[in-house]
Amino acid sequence: MIDPSSSEEESDYDSNAETDGTPSIHTPSGIPSIPGRASASSNDSISQQSSVVGPISGPGNQKRPSVSQRPVSPSPSAVSENERKEAERMQLEEEEHKKRLQLYVFVMRCIAYPFNAKQPTDMARRQTKVTKQQLSTIKDRFQAFINGETQIVADEAFCNAVQSYFEVFLKSDRVLKMVLSGGCSSQDFREVFKNNVEKRVRSLPEIDGLSKETVLSSWMAKFDAIYRGEEDPRKQPQRLSTAAASELILSKEQLYEMFQNILGIKKFEHQLLYNACQLDNADEQAAQIRRELDGRLKMAEEITRNKRGPKFIVKEMESMYVEELRSGVNLLMANMESLPVSKGNTESKYSLQKLKRAQNTAVSMMEVPEDPEPTLSKSDVVLSFTLEVLVMEVQGLKFLAPNRIVYCTMEVDGGEKLQTDQAEASKPTWDTQGDFTTTHPLPVVKIKLYTENTGVLSIDDTLLGKIVLHPTPNSPKTSEWHKMTLAKQGNENIKIKLAIKMDKPQNMKHCGWMYCRGKTVWKRWKKRFFVLVQVSQYTFALCSYIEKKADPKEMMQLDGYTVTYTDPEPDLEREGGRFFFKALKEGDDIVLACDEEVDRQLWVQAIYRATGQTHKPVPPTMIAGGKGANAIISRLQGDADRARKHGMDEFIHSNPCNFDHAQLLELLQALTLDHRLNDSYSCLGWFSPGQIFVLDEYCARYGVRGCHRHLCYLSNLLDRAEKGTMIDPTLIHYSFAFCASHVHGNRPDGIGTVTLEENDKFLDIKDRLRCLLEYQITHFRYCFPFGRPEGALKATLSLLERVLMKDIVTPVPQEEVRNTIKDCLEKAALVNYERVSAYARIEESLNSEDLPPEKRLEDVIHLAELCIDVLQQNEEHHAEAFAWFSDLLVEHAEIFWSLFAVDMDAALEVQPPDTWDSFPLFQLLNDYMRSDTLNGGRFHMHIQEIFAPQVIRYVDLMESSIAQSIHKGFEKEKWEAKGNGTETSEDLFWKLDALQTFIRDLHWPQEEFAIHLDHRLKLMAADMIESCVVRTMQAFEVQIKKGRINCDYRVSNEICVMINVLNDARSKSMKLCPPARDSDNIGEMISAESRRMAQVLITKMEAVLQGLCGKLARYDEGTLFASFLSFTASNIKLNPGLELADDFNCFISDNLEEIRERVNDEEFIFNLYDMWFQANMNILCDWLSDRMEAQLHLHQLNTLIRVVGKIYRYFELHGVPPSSLNSKTYDTVKQRLQVEEASASITHGSEAVVHSNSLDDSDED
């Protein structure tokens, strides 16, 4: 322990500490509060009155400025003024520090001997707060991950989630404000990210073998790795172990250290106070509590006599106040009695004796008094002692043979005997300890020394010597040599070395020999052995004992006695005793004396603690110290001297009943709250378990009213909350509910007294709290950013409802709560929009005349995006808190959008006419509105009214534009293939589709108008497509007439493009035209035109086959040309060639390929091929039917066989189905040709018919 008398410590003690900005508190006497703290000089005396009143301010220490730092040339008046102010400041600091020292003395006693409170173990564990520097580090870590500078492997979805978290949360000014308010912990950062990614993970598609819970846990592990950075998680608990101590159950030493920091007490000041107050002595602390409680009872009686209590709201409460004081003391007495003194003594019939006495003072004269106090019996003061007897060595056994065996026996009060080990007479040493238990305060210990008898017939061993000792608890515990009584006179002197330790029982506070004489007991002046026995916390007995008796010879209960030092009485001094003192009581006077001054002081001190008297006896002389008991007195005297030297004596001996503990508690609580808010935990105003324990103990021990305590606590919390510190509304709710139940007379334990000061302060706090809650609800986005702390906004709304209650029982009308919240949310709309518009700088944009309209519109769109983000965040993080007032939150959003509407309308007014750049703004707003509770609201209807004329105008212009493009496009159309049609048709269909898509994407909320737009656009599309088809058919009819009708004719590219245009128009009409009657008309029209186009094209192709048949008709029988050709052929013996058939087959093949390659619609191609094949077969069938009676010329036969076979084969290869190919017409043609072929083979010979070109061979090909 540090020596307090060293010059180094004194100089340290004289140094001053810094001040902080704790609010000043005015004392009742008008003394202003002191802004800082100064250390007390070691030589200054302390005024007790200045310690009683006068609160103490901030916890910090303020360094005393150097006096040498002065202006260069000050005037004498300025110098004197500065010195005077400096002296006043130092004096105030001096007084401040004295008050803190006095307060610390009371706190130390609460910590040293608590009997009312315990450290709570069920409090929520607080998380470590995030500081501004840590926030910057966290931002850097996430930025490094986004930039790919870390080794953490992640997929794209996780990277997007981190990017969104970084941009929306970490970079938000609201998060910085929350960090600065001290209400943000690492758990808040983690929970916000977890809530965000849970939605993302739930929206991901299912993956076989990988659950979404696994993905979520993996993402959270990666988040923790990013948040932690390069720190090793295994080192984290080691680094936080010391800081986490404040959240755990603290030891007394840790509590002392904590409140040294809170009150600005130096370590050596604590050591001086600790030693001088004897905080390590439980008896002294219990006695101090008894004295304090007796003082409080006397104060209650004095208030009853003088009528000088506080003023109450009702006159009848004055008598109730005294009853409360007494019942509070009685409760403390009961708590004291509940502390065990010794085992089996907590249920004593005397445990509530003092309590009954305190209650009897409140009994009126008309009531029957209670039973008299019970008398102590001897069975109530039974003591139990433990003796340890250690036999070590024996000397003087030279008369025995060296090899003789010796041993010792020991017994206490004739009880069980114990024996040591055997030893040789040459080395009679032992280390044997005997443990005994006895109830005799003056036990008799007998130790005997034996040697073994070597005789054959001997039975008992030989006794060499014995010794009888009478130890007491005060006997020395060290080993001593004792001379034994010899069994035979012839032996030499025998000495034995013994150590006897007699432990004091817990209920024995002191013992020793004294002279005594009293009136009722101990009537003769005689030396007796006395024991001070504690029966219970409030009952002590002074008992005298004789040897071999467990019960006291005589005894006296010390209740009501007062001990004091007296001068020696000559008559008694001659009979014995030198140092006298007395125990006095009305009707009794006991004189006691000791042989030593040290014994007298120890006895007086012990009895002083037992009696609980207020006056502390002062010894007439001081001793310089010594050994043993003198050392105890010397140490206590030295501690008192050192405390007196440093000015601590008056703090230690001051009467706690003379202090205004309400003011001291107010100061202590404020300083403790400052200390708590400045530690490393996000406490939100909640005290730590150790702080709660000390404050509870202080209030209970020193009688601080609970309402006053919570009112001061509420005031402190409101002071911090109004300055931006995050305070848990649930904590405020608890304290406010307690105060409200007290003030309104609805306490769970019954009606209590309410002072005018408490009532006025409660009303003031209620008004302040209502203003604070309305402010927090108005600024809910910034007071509770991202819904943190969790549940705080909901608790704030609940607290507001409690604050609006007129009393604790009558519920507040729901309409009043709604109106209050409605007003707050209306203001919140303005606050939120002003913040958002300031962030977007929309005012600068709208007020700038040089800014182009496009830029203004762009700024408004950006502002709309920010507004949507704000409302979405409100819905995500705050809607749950407003669940009971969801309609008010909707109204808040409407007001918010009405403010936006002003800026939006201003930006739209400056836009040039017939510009469509504002439609994205409508789409953005409408897409949000239609999926939100604002669908159909005022702002939603407002944007519809603004944009509906623009939409109609846009559709009108688009219709006119498309019509003009059709007219001009087809006039200049070159019918070159592009896409599925021509350039004009593709542009037409794209415009129609884009227009419908644009209108559809508007998602017009009004159903009637949306149906009207859709119907009009489809009608317009039908008209445009019909116009396109008509113009295409006109061009087709012109184009089809071009080209000669012979085998050299090929279908042109323009005709194929026209076919594609019609087919594309038919497919597009299915999408663009309405599915009702109009759609059927345009579809039928296009189909009819498509069939007509195919028919016209087939007619063109039929003409080529008819030309071929015409050429073959020249070989008919009976014609001049046929006879000439037949004569020529018979003379030349040659068969006409098949060039005509080959040319026609080339015509068929090329056109089939051309159509297949250039026409896009397969269905149209199949239908065209089918019709073309049937038309060809019909022409051939009709031609052959006309020549049914005639035989075909050989040339006709070979040509038709060639043509029919190739036609069949070509159309089959191009996908014409067999059902169409093998028609009746084809079968008729085929049979006729087969018959003609057989006839020709008979008539002209088989060589006349080219077998390779026969119909069968062609079919097989």
Side-chain angles (χ1 to χ4, degrees), residues 1145-1163:
N1145 289 335
C1146 289
F1147 160 77
I1148 293 293
S1149 176
D1150 293 345
N1151 282 291
L1152 287 174
E1153 293 292 338
E1154 188 73 17
I1155 293 173
R1156 170 68 66 181
E1157 181 179 354
R1158 297 185 181 278
V1159 176
N1160 301 326
D1161 192 350
E1162 290 292 330
E1163 182 181 0

Side-chain angles (χ1 to χ4, degrees), residues 1181 1184-1185 1223-1233:
C1181 183
L1184 291 174
S1185 298
S1223 62
K1224 294 181 178 181
T1225 306
Y1226 171 74
D1227 292 339
T1228 303
V1229 172
K1230 180 179 177 182
Q1231 293 175 2
R1232 172 69 183 275
L1233 293 178

Side-chain angles (χ1 to χ4, degrees), residues 1035-1048:
F1036 175 77
E1037 292 174 354
V1038 174
Q1039 186 68 30
I1040 200 66
K1041 294 178 180 179
K1042 297 179 181 180
R1044 298 175 61 186
I1045 303 176
N1046 53 27
C1047 292
D1048 295 332

Side-chain angles (χ1 to χ4, degrees), residues 824-842:
C824 293
L825 290 180
E826 288 176 357
K827 298 174 184 177
L830 178 60
V831 171
N832 294 343
Y833 185 73
E834 286 178 347
R835 297 281 186 97
V836 174
S837 60
Y839 176 78
R841 298 181 178 178
I842 193 64

